Amino acid sequence: MADFFPSPGIDPPSPTLSARLRELADFLAAPAAGRLTEEQRALSLGIARRLVEDAARELSADIDVGALWRDWLESGLPTAPRLAAACFARAEEHRWREHSARRIAAPVVVPVDGDGPPAPETIDTTPEADRAYLALRIADRRRADGRGSPRIALEDVEPELLRALLLDIAAWRMVQAGKDGQLAAGLGEAVRKVVEYRAAIPGIDVAARQYLAALGEGAAIEGAAASAIDRHDWLALVALAAAASRRSFADMALALTSAEAAALPALLAPLSLDRASLAPLEASLAALPSRTVETRG
């Protein structure tokens, strides 16, 4: 019998169709899993836009970043899977920290004369550890734009991903300018310089390792981690956990925001925390709306 159905795949699908098919494939692979919320989509897309624009400006002042983003938004971002992972990790970390800060915010109470509030519990830290913690906070501030919106600092992007992104931007610029050997050579050299320059700048991962090293060993690290949980200082906790586990900050942040409660002790095992001290962390993560949990099968 003749086959009257058109054969699929005769023509390559459009970028829009490809994106829809990938989305459908992801849904069919896990139909019961929660889908991205509008907040998650908007945050991740905004982070991707800021990353692309920052990289384009770093590469060349002649690049029209607005036109670049509009073209890529319409046709699809190159290296989309790797960009998606990085942007989603930053977005979920931002949602967690912002939501936690709103939940624990307490109203200001004016104390009665002679009835001041008790001093907060603190841990003993050395001046070196204090300076390292300040450096960590400064590195974290570079992960937001002037309005406080989350971004990925270029020095925090994996070198191979940054190189791929810059090369894609350079290719877009070449298409806009037409064939120009001199421009191509200049852009190629610019890509190399940007990658080398950004790799030499200490980012959040370096700051996390330096903070861990400044605390010393054993009880000091455990005490700092426990104090970070009590104070909901998730920046410090993620930094210590990442450095102690020899993982990147972004990787550890995503691991924590997607972990089941039962997986947290193993995930934070290098910090030697007791099970009871993890309760505020578990509560904070459980309260995060639309959290994508990596269940263990």
Side-chain angles (χ1 to χ4, degrees), residues 189-234:
E189 179 65 10
V191 169
R192 183 188 67 80
K193 288 183 177 179
V194 170
V195 173
E196 290 182 355
Y197 171 69
R198 286 295 169 176
I201 298 177
I204 193 73
D205 291 326
V206 173
R209 291 194 294 269
Q210 290 177 343
Y211 181 43
L212 180 74
L215 286 168
E217 298 180 356
I221 294 175
E222 180 183 349
S227 176
I229 293 176
D230 286 341
R231 294 179 288 109
H232 286 214
D233 185 354
W234 307 130

Short mmCIF file of all heavy atoms in Angstrom, two decimals, residues 189-234:
data_model
loop_
_atom_site.label_atom_id
_atom_site.label_comp_id
_atom_site.label_asym_id
_atom_site.label_seq_id
_atom_site.Cartn_x
_atom_site.Cartn_y
_atom_site.Cartn_z
N GLU A 189 41.20 37.61 17.50
CA GLU A 189 42.16 38.02 18.51
C GLU A 189 41.45 38.58 19.74
O GLU A 189 41.88 38.36 20.88
CB GLU A 189 43.11 39.06 17.93
CG GLU A 189 44.15 39.59 18.89
CD GLU A 189 45.15 38.54 19.35
OE1 GLU A 189 45.16 37.42 18.78
OE2 GLU A 189 45.90 38.82 20.29
N ALA A 190 40.36 39.30 19.49
CA ALA A 190 39.60 39.86 20.62
C ALA A 190 39.01 38.76 21.49
O ALA A 190 38.98 38.87 22.72
CB ALA A 190 38.49 40.78 20.09
N VAL A 191 38.52 37.69 20.87
CA VAL A 191 37.98 36.56 21.63
C VAL A 191 39.06 35.99 22.55
O VAL A 191 38.82 35.73 23.74
CB VAL A 191 37.44 35.47 20.69
CG1 VAL A 191 37.14 34.18 21.47
CG2 VAL A 191 36.19 35.94 19.98
N ARG A 192 40.24 35.78 21.99
CA ARG A 192 41.34 35.23 22.79
C ARG A 192 41.67 36.12 23.98
O ARG A 192 41.83 35.65 25.11
CB ARG A 192 42.57 35.04 21.91
CG ARG A 192 43.74 34.39 22.64
CD ARG A 192 45.00 34.41 21.77
NE ARG A 192 45.47 35.77 21.56
CZ ARG A 192 46.19 36.46 22.46
NH1 ARG A 192 46.50 35.92 23.62
NH2 ARG A 192 46.59 37.69 22.18
N LYS A 193 41.74 37.41 23.75
CA LYS A 193 42.10 38.35 24.82
C LYS A 193 41.04 38.41 25.90
O LYS A 193 41.37 38.47 27.09
CB LYS A 193 42.34 39.74 24.23
CG LYS A 193 43.62 39.86 23.41
CD LYS A 193 43.82 41.29 22.92
CE LYS A 193 45.13 41.44 22.17
NZ LYS A 193 45.32 42.83 21.67
N VAL A 194 39.77 38.40 25.51
CA VAL A 194 38.70 38.46 26.50
C VAL A 194 38.72 37.23 27.39
O VAL A 194 38.60 37.34 28.62
CB VAL A 194 37.33 38.61 25.81
CG1 VAL A 194 36.20 38.44 26.83
CG2 VAL A 194 37.21 39.97 25.14
N VAL A 195 38.88 36.05 26.79
CA VAL A 195 38.89 34.82 27.57
C VAL A 195 40.07 34.82 28.54
O VAL A 195 39.91 34.48 29.73
CB VAL A 195 38.95 33.59 26.65
CG1 VAL A 195 39.14 32.31 27.47
CG2 VAL A 195 37.68 33.48 25.81
N GLU A 196 41.23 35.21 28.08
CA GLU A 196 42.41 35.25 28.95
C GLU A 196 42.25 36.29 30.05
O GLU A 196 42.60 36.05 31.21
CB GLU A 196 43.66 35.53 28.12
CG GLU A 196 44.08 34.39 27.20
CD GLU A 196 45.34 34.71 26.43
OE1 GLU A 196 45.84 35.86 26.56
OE2 GLU A 196 45.84 33.82 25.72
N TYR A 197 41.73 37.45 29.70
CA TYR A 197 41.56 38.53 30.67
C TYR A 197 40.57 38.14 31.75
O TYR A 197 40.84 38.32 32.95
CB TYR A 197 41.09 39.80 29.95
CG TYR A 197 40.67 40.92 30.87
CD1 TYR A 197 41.61 41.60 31.65
CD2 TYR A 197 39.34 41.30 30.97
CE1 TYR A 197 41.22 42.63 32.51
CE2 TYR A 197 38.94 42.32 31.82
CZ TYR A 197 39.89 42.98 32.58
OH TYR A 197 39.51 43.99 33.43
N ARG A 198 39.44 37.59 31.37
CA ARG A 198 38.42 37.22 32.35
C ARG A 198 38.86 36.04 33.22
O ARG A 198 38.51 35.97 34.40
CB ARG A 198 37.11 36.91 31.65
CG ARG A 198 36.40 38.14 31.13
CD ARG A 198 35.96 39.03 32.28
NE ARG A 198 35.49 40.34 31.84
CZ ARG A 198 34.99 41.26 32.67
NH1 ARG A 198 34.90 41.00 33.96
NH2 ARG A 198 34.61 42.43 32.21
N ALA A 199 39.64 35.13 32.64
CA ALA A 199 40.12 34.00 33.42
C ALA A 199 41.08 34.44 34.52
O ALA A 199 41.23 33.75 35.54
CB ALA A 199 40.80 32.98 32.51
N ALA A 200 41.72 35.58 34.32
CA ALA A 200 42.69 36.08 35.31
C ALA A 200 42.03 36.87 36.44
O ALA A 200 42.69 37.21 37.42
CB ALA A 200 43.73 36.95 34.61
N ILE A 201 40.74 37.19 36.30
CA ILE A 201 40.04 37.96 37.33
C ILE A 201 39.44 37.00 38.36
O ILE A 201 38.70 36.09 37.99
CB ILE A 201 38.92 38.82 36.71
CG1 ILE A 201 39.51 39.85 35.73
CG2 ILE A 201 38.12 39.54 37.80
CD1 ILE A 201 38.47 40.68 35.03
N PRO A 202 39.73 37.19 39.65
CA PRO A 202 39.15 36.30 40.67
C PRO A 202 37.63 36.49 40.72
O PRO A 202 37.13 37.59 40.90
CB PRO A 202 39.80 36.77 41.97
CG PRO A 202 41.02 37.52 41.55
CD PRO A 202 40.67 38.15 40.23
N GLY A 203 36.92 35.40 40.56
CA GLY A 203 35.46 35.45 40.61
C GLY A 203 34.93 34.83 41.88
O GLY A 203 35.63 34.69 42.89
N ILE A 204 33.67 34.43 41.85
CA ILE A 204 33.01 33.90 43.03
C ILE A 204 33.64 32.58 43.48
O ILE A 204 33.72 32.30 44.68
CB ILE A 204 31.49 33.72 42.77
CG1 ILE A 204 30.72 33.49 44.08
CG2 ILE A 204 31.24 32.61 41.77
CD1 ILE A 204 30.58 34.71 44.93
N ASP A 205 34.13 31.77 42.55
CA ASP A 205 34.74 30.50 42.93
C ASP A 205 36.06 30.71 43.68
O ASP A 205 36.33 30.03 44.67
CB ASP A 205 34.98 29.63 41.69
CG ASP A 205 33.68 29.14 41.07
OD1 ASP A 205 32.73 28.89 41.83
OD2 ASP A 205 33.62 29.02 39.84
N VAL A 206 36.86 31.65 43.20
CA VAL A 206 38.11 31.95 43.90
C VAL A 206 37.82 32.51 45.28
O VAL A 206 38.45 32.14 46.28
CB VAL A 206 38.96 32.95 43.08
CG1 VAL A 206 40.17 33.41 43.88
CG2 VAL A 206 39.40 32.32 41.77
N ALA A 207 36.84 33.41 45.37
CA ALA A 207 36.47 33.99 46.66
C ALA A 207 35.98 32.92 47.63
O ALA A 207 36.28 32.97 48.83
CB ALA A 207 35.40 35.06 46.47
N ALA A 208 35.24 31.94 47.13
CA ALA A 208 34.75 30.86 47.99
C ALA A 208 35.91 30.03 48.53
O ALA A 208 35.94 29.69 49.73
CB ALA A 208 33.78 29.97 47.21
N ARG A 209 36.87 29.70 47.68
CA ARG A 209 38.01 28.90 48.13
C ARG A 209 38.86 29.68 49.14
O ARG A 209 39.35 29.11 50.12
CB ARG A 209 38.86 28.49 46.93
CG ARG A 209 38.19 27.48 46.01
CD ARG A 209 39.16 26.85 45.05
NE ARG A 209 39.70 27.81 44.10
CZ ARG A 209 39.17 28.09 42.92
NH1 ARG A 209 38.04 27.48 42.54
NH2 ARG A 209 39.72 28.96 42.10
N GLN A 210 39.02 30.96 48.92
CA GLN A 210 39.81 31.77 49.84
C GLN A 210 39.11 31.91 51.19
O GLN A 210 39.76 31.93 52.24
CB GLN A 210 40.08 33.14 49.22
CG GLN A 210 41.04 33.09 48.04
CD GLN A 210 41.23 34.44 47.38
OE1 GLN A 210 40.45 35.37 47.58
NE2 GLN A 210 42.28 34.56 46.57
N TYR A 211 37.79 31.99 51.18
CA TYR A 211 37.04 32.07 52.43
C TYR A 211 37.20 30.78 53.23
O TYR A 211 37.43 30.81 54.45
CB TYR A 211 35.57 32.36 52.13
CG TYR A 211 34.69 32.49 53.35
CD1 TYR A 211 35.10 33.20 54.48
CD2 TYR A 211 33.43 31.89 53.39
CE1 TYR A 211 34.28 33.31 55.60
CE2 TYR A 211 32.61 32.00 54.50
CZ TYR A 211 33.05 32.71 55.60
OH TYR A 211 32.25 32.81 56.71
N LEU A 212 37.07 29.65 52.56
CA LEU A 212 37.24 28.37 53.24
C LEU A 212 38.65 28.26 53.82
O LEU A 212 38.83 27.85 54.98
CB LEU A 212 36.98 27.22 52.25
CG LEU A 212 37.13 25.81 52.84
CD1 LEU A 212 35.94 25.49 53.73
CD2 LEU A 212 37.24 24.77 51.72
N ALA A 213 39.66 28.64 53.02
CA ALA A 213 41.04 28.54 53.49
C ALA A 213 41.31 29.46 54.66
O ALA A 213 42.05 29.12 55.59
CB ALA A 213 42.00 28.86 52.33
N ALA A 214 40.69 30.64 54.66
CA ALA A 214 40.92 31.61 55.73
C ALA A 214 40.34 31.14 57.06
O ALA A 214 40.83 31.52 58.13
CB ALA A 214 40.32 32.96 55.35
N LEU A 215 39.31 30.31 57.01
CA LEU A 215 38.70 29.82 58.25
C LEU A 215 39.57 28.77 58.93
O LEU A 215 39.43 28.53 60.13
CB LEU A 215 37.32 29.23 57.95
CG LEU A 215 36.22 30.24 57.65
CD1 LEU A 215 34.99 29.54 57.11
CD2 LEU A 215 35.85 31.05 58.90
N GLY A 216 40.44 28.15 58.17
CA GLY A 216 41.29 27.13 58.75
C GLY A 216 40.72 25.74 58.52
O GLY A 216 40.37 25.38 57.40
N GLU A 217 40.58 24.98 59.58
CA GLU A 217 40.10 23.60 59.45
C GLU A 217 39.10 23.25 60.56
O GLU A 217 38.97 23.97 61.54
CB GLU A 217 41.28 22.62 59.51
CG GLU A 217 42.30 22.80 58.40
CD GLU A 217 43.44 21.81 58.51
OE1 GLU A 217 43.47 21.06 59.50
OE2 GLU A 217 44.30 21.80 57.61
N GLY A 218 38.44 22.14 60.36
CA GLY A 218 37.63 21.53 61.40
C GLY A 218 36.53 22.38 61.96
O GLY A 218 35.61 22.81 61.25
N ALA A 219 36.62 22.65 63.27
CA ALA A 219 35.54 23.30 63.99
C ALA A 219 35.23 24.69 63.46
O ALA A 219 34.06 25.11 63.49
CB ALA A 219 35.89 23.38 65.48
N ALA A 220 36.24 25.42 63.01
CA ALA A 220 36.00 26.77 62.51
C ALA A 220 35.11 26.74 61.27
O ALA A 220 34.19 27.56 61.12
CB ALA A 220 37.32 27.47 62.20
N ILE A 221 35.36 25.80 60.38
CA ILE A 221 34.56 25.69 59.16
C ILE A 221 33.14 25.22 59.51
O ILE A 221 32.15 25.77 59.02
CB ILE A 221 35.22 24.72 58.16
CG1 ILE A 221 36.55 25.30 57.67
CG2 ILE A 221 34.28 24.45 56.99
CD1 ILE A 221 37.33 24.37 56.78
N GLU A 222 33.05 24.22 60.36
CA GLU A 222 31.73 23.73 60.78
C GLU A 222 30.93 24.82 61.46
O GLU A 222 29.74 25.01 61.21
CB GLU A 222 31.89 22.54 61.72
CG GLU A 222 30.58 21.97 62.21
CD GLU A 222 30.77 20.85 63.21
OE1 GLU A 222 31.92 20.38 63.36
OE2 GLU A 222 29.78 20.45 63.84
N GLY A 223 31.61 25.59 62.33
CA GLY A 223 30.92 26.68 63.02
C GLY A 223 30.45 27.76 62.08
O GLY A 223 29.35 28.30 62.23
N ALA A 224 31.28 28.10 61.10
CA ALA A 224 30.90 29.13 60.13
C ALA A 224 29.72 28.67 59.29
O ALA A 224 28.81 29.44 58.98
CB ALA A 224 32.09 29.48 59.24
N ALA A 225 29.72 27.39 58.90
CA ALA A 225 28.62 26.86 58.10
C ALA A 225 27.33 26.82 58.91
O ALA A 225 26.25 27.19 58.41
CB ALA A 225 28.98 25.47 57.58
N ALA A 226 27.42 26.37 60.15
CA ALA A 226 26.22 26.32 61.01
C ALA A 226 25.68 27.72 61.26
O ALA A 226 24.46 27.94 61.25
CB ALA A 226 26.56 25.63 62.33
N SER A 227 26.57 28.67 61.48
CA SER A 227 26.14 30.05 61.69
C SER A 227 25.49 30.61 60.43
O SER A 227 24.50 31.34 60.50
CB SER A 227 27.34 30.91 62.09
OG SER A 227 26.98 32.27 62.20
N ALA A 228 26.03 30.27 59.27
CA ALA A 228 25.45 30.73 58.01
C ALA A 228 24.03 30.22 57.85
O ALA A 228 23.14 30.95 57.39
CB ALA A 228 26.33 30.28 56.84
N ILE A 229 23.79 28.97 58.23
CA ILE A 229 22.44 28.41 58.14
C ILE A 229 21.51 29.12 59.11
O ILE A 229 20.38 29.49 58.76
CB ILE A 229 22.47 26.90 58.42
CG1 ILE A 229 23.20 26.16 57.30
CG2 ILE A 229 21.05 26.36 58.56
CD1 ILE A 229 23.37 24.68 57.54
N ASP A 230 21.96 29.34 60.33
CA ASP A 230 21.13 30.02 61.33
C ASP A 230 20.74 31.42 60.87
O ASP A 230 19.62 31.88 61.10
CB ASP A 230 21.88 30.12 62.66
CG ASP A 230 21.94 28.79 63.38
OD1 ASP A 230 21.12 27.91 63.06
OD2 ASP A 230 22.82 28.63 64.26
N ARG A 231 21.68 32.12 60.20
CA ARG A 231 21.44 33.49 59.76
C ARG A 231 20.82 33.56 58.36
O ARG A 231 20.60 34.62 57.83
CB ARG A 231 22.75 34.28 59.78
CG ARG A 231 23.34 34.47 61.17
CD ARG A 231 24.65 35.23 61.14
NE ARG A 231 25.73 34.42 60.60
CZ ARG A 231 26.31 34.60 59.43
NH1 ARG A 231 25.89 35.56 58.63
NH2 ARG A 231 27.29 33.82 59.03
N HIS A 232 20.59 32.39 57.76
CA HIS A 232 20.09 32.32 56.38
C HIS A 232 21.03 33.05 55.43
O HIS A 232 20.60 33.67 54.46
CB HIS A 232 18.67 32.88 56.27
CG HIS A 232 17.63 31.98 56.84
ND1 HIS A 232 16.36 31.88 56.33
CD2 HIS A 232 17.67 31.12 57.89
CE1 HIS A 232 15.66 30.99 57.03
NE2 HIS A 232 16.44 30.53 57.99
N ASP A 233 22.31 32.95 55.71
CA ASP A 233 23.34 33.53 54.84
C ASP A 233 23.71 32.48 53.82
O ASP A 233 24.74 31.80 53.91
CB ASP A 233 24.56 33.95 55.68
CG ASP A 233 25.62 34.67 54.85
OD1 ASP A 233 25.46 34.74 53.61
OD2 ASP A 233 26.61 35.15 55.43
N TRP A 234 22.85 32.35 52.80
CA TRP A 234 23.03 31.28 51.83
C TRP A 234 24.24 31.51 50.94
O TRP A 234 24.80 30.55 50.40
CB TRP A 234 21.75 31.10 51.02
CG TRP A 234 20.54 30.91 51.86
CD1 TRP A 234 19.35 31.58 51.76
CD2 TRP A 234 20.37 30.00 52.96
NE1 TRP A 234 18.46 31.15 52.72
CE2 TRP A 234 19.07 30.17 53.47
CE3 TRP A 234 21.20 29.06 53.56
CZ2 TRP A 234 18.57 29.44 54.55
CZ3 TRP A 234 20.72 28.33 54.65
CH2 TRP A 234 19.42 28.52 55.13
#
